[in-house]
Each structure stands twice: as C-alpha cells, then as structure tokens.
Amino acid sequence: MNPSNHDHFQGQAAYEHVLQKKSETASEVHGEELPGHFGAFLDACRDTSILLLTFWTVAFVLQLSFKQTTFILVIFTIVWSVWKTIRSTWFSWALLERLHRVLKEERYEIENHRDQEREELTALYASKGFQGELLEDVIDVLMADDERLLKIMMEEEMGLNLEHYEHPLKIGLGSALGALLTGALLIGAQWVLPLYGLVALAIIIKSSSGMLMAKLQKNEMLSAFIWNAGAAVVILGVSYFVTLWIQPLFI
C-alpha cells in the first residue's frame, strides 16, 4: 500500500475502511426515526395518543367539566399537529442535507482517488465471493461509469438506498395527518363515551401503531403490541397518581 492509500484508509485495510464508513454513515444519515411518510404518520399517531391520554387524565383528576376538557384536547391537538409537522419536515430536510453532503464527498473521492476507490470496490466484491479474472472484469465494468460507481459505493460501502428517501414535505404531511386524525378520533371518543372512551381508544391506537411500526421494521409485532399497550397503561397510571399527589400543592 502506497503512502497516499495509507492516508486515505487511515492505516486500515481497504475492507476495514469500508466497514467503518458503513457504520459511521448509517448512524449519521439514517438517524433513529423510521423514514417515510407512513412511518411519520404512525409515529404521530402513537405520540398524539399518549399526549391526549395524559391531558385527559389530568383533567379527570382535576374534575374539569366536559366542555373544559374538550377545549383543552382540541387546542393541544391543533398545536401538537403543527409541531409534529414542523419537526418531521425539519428532521427530514436535515437528513436530506446530510445525504447530499455524503454524496458530494463520495463523488469527490471517485474523481480524485480512483485507485483507492478501486481497492475498496475490490475488497467489497471479493467479500461477496468474486475472485480472479471475474473479479477484475466486474471492477472494470463498475469503474467505467462514474454515476454507476457512485450509486454502487453509496449502497455497498455506506449501506444507503438512494431511492428510499422521500421529500421532507411528504413526510411532514404524514405527521400532520397522523396527529390530526388521532386527535379527531380521540376527541370523538370523548364525546361518545365521556368517561373512558378516550382512554380505551388511546391505548388501542398506541398499541396498533406500535404493531405496524414493528411490521415495517420487520420486528416482532406481538411484542411491540404488548410493550406499547403496557407503556400506555403506565403513562395513564403515572399521570393519574402524580396529578393526584401534587394537586394539593398548587390548587
């Protein structure tokens, strides 16, 4: 390995460098939230159900009237929907900016460090079982087209799917719809069954959203249902008893 390669790979073998890049880029670009408008919709449903469940519980302990409780729920649904929309859109936009930066950096590497890129590509495809003349032929074909090479390096080296990212406004719209729909359903349940309608529906929405999120992430759906239902019940209990205990200090 010549000195320039040593600097590029930071003292690592080509394949070790690829693994490090994939790990770093995955954590930086992917983030911790489920991407896509449907994921944003489910996340908003789940969060909104917990928020309104908490406010309903506090209003119940404080013995607010039906109209006062409904007023609070409506106001917080509207404000919360706006916040979820802004947050999801901003997060998605920041994610897209980071992706563009990674693309720009990788394009620079392809244009200015082709020998090192070839080494990385060779290490990647050797790990897939390509050997000898076949390996050289595959690398020659991929190196012949810079745009194809860029796509391959983004997907193979960094683990990114360029077709996976949606427009931030579409994701923000998913969040807005999830928050508004959940709020409308819960407020409707409050009207139909003033005593416990909202509580029951909030737990159902929280659990169902968790199950669908698990399905999208290819996780265990039953486990997600149990965890989300349990979390909703815990939030209900904490909201109730904390409000009950600290109420005398303020009222």
Side-chain angles (χ1 to χ4, degrees), residues 174-205:
S175 285
L177 184 60
L180 289 172
L181 180 60
T182 301
L185 289 173
L186 293 178
I187 292 170
Q190 162 78 359
W191 276 82
V192 175
L193 296 172
L195 192 55
Y196 297 119
L198 185 145
V199 174
L201 186 57
I203 294 174
I204 291 172
I205 291 176

Side-chain angles (χ1 to χ4, degrees), residues 6 26 81 88 96 121 141 147 160 162-163 173 176 187 204 214 222 230:
H6 181 83
S81 298
S88 294
L96 205 58
L121 204 59
V141 169
E147 291 303 316
L160 303 176
L162 300 182
E163 299 175 355
L173 183 61
I187 292 170
I204 291 172
L222 180 59

Side-chain angles (χ1 to χ4, degrees), residues 79-98:
V79 174
W80 177 251
S81 298
V82 173
W83 161 244
K84 287 294 289 184
T85 303
I86 293 173
R87 184 186 182 281
S88 294
T89 303
W90 171 81
F91 179 84
S92 301
W93 188 264
L95 198 65
L96 205 58
E97 284 186 339
R98 291 196 296 271

Side-chain angles (χ1 to χ4, degrees), residues 120-202:
E120 293 179 17
L121 204 59
T122 301
L124 277 169
Y125 279 84
S127 71
K128 296 177 183 291
F130 291 87
Q131 297 179 0
E133 186 176 347
L134 177 60
L135 175 60
E136 291 299 321
D137 290 342
V138 169
I139 300 304
D140 287 339
V141 169
L142 295 178
M143 294 291 296
D145 186 337
D146 284 358
E147 291 303 316
R148 179 171 53 194
L149 177 60
L150 177 62
K151 186 174 186 296
I152 290 294
M153 294 306 289
M154 292 295 290
E155 294 179 352
E156 297 288 347
E157 179 185 11
M158 301 182 186
L160 303 176
N161 185 349
L162 300 182
E163 299 175 355
H164 183 68
Y165 296 93
E166 298 180 2
H167 195 282
L169 292 179
K170 185 177 181 181
I171 296 176
L173 183 61
S175 285
L177 184 60
L180 289 172
L181 180 60
T182 301
L185 289 173
L186 293 178
I187 292 170
Q190 162 78 359
W191 276 82
V192 175
L193 296 172
L195 192 55
Y196 297 119
L198 185 145
V199 174
L201 186 57

Side-chain angles (χ1 to χ4, degrees), residues 191-230:
W191 276 82
V192 175
L193 296 172
L195 192 55
Y196 297 119
L198 185 145
V199 174
L201 186 57
I203 294 174
I204 291 172
I205 291 176
K206 177 76 166 68
S207 305
S208 301
S209 299
M211 285 182 65
L212 290 174
M213 290 278 278
K215 183 177 181 180
L216 288 177
Q217 295 171 323
K218 298 180 180 180
N219 293 332
E220 179 61 42
M221 293 178 63
L222 180 59
S223 176
F225 179 86
I226 294 172
W227 274 100
N228 280 274

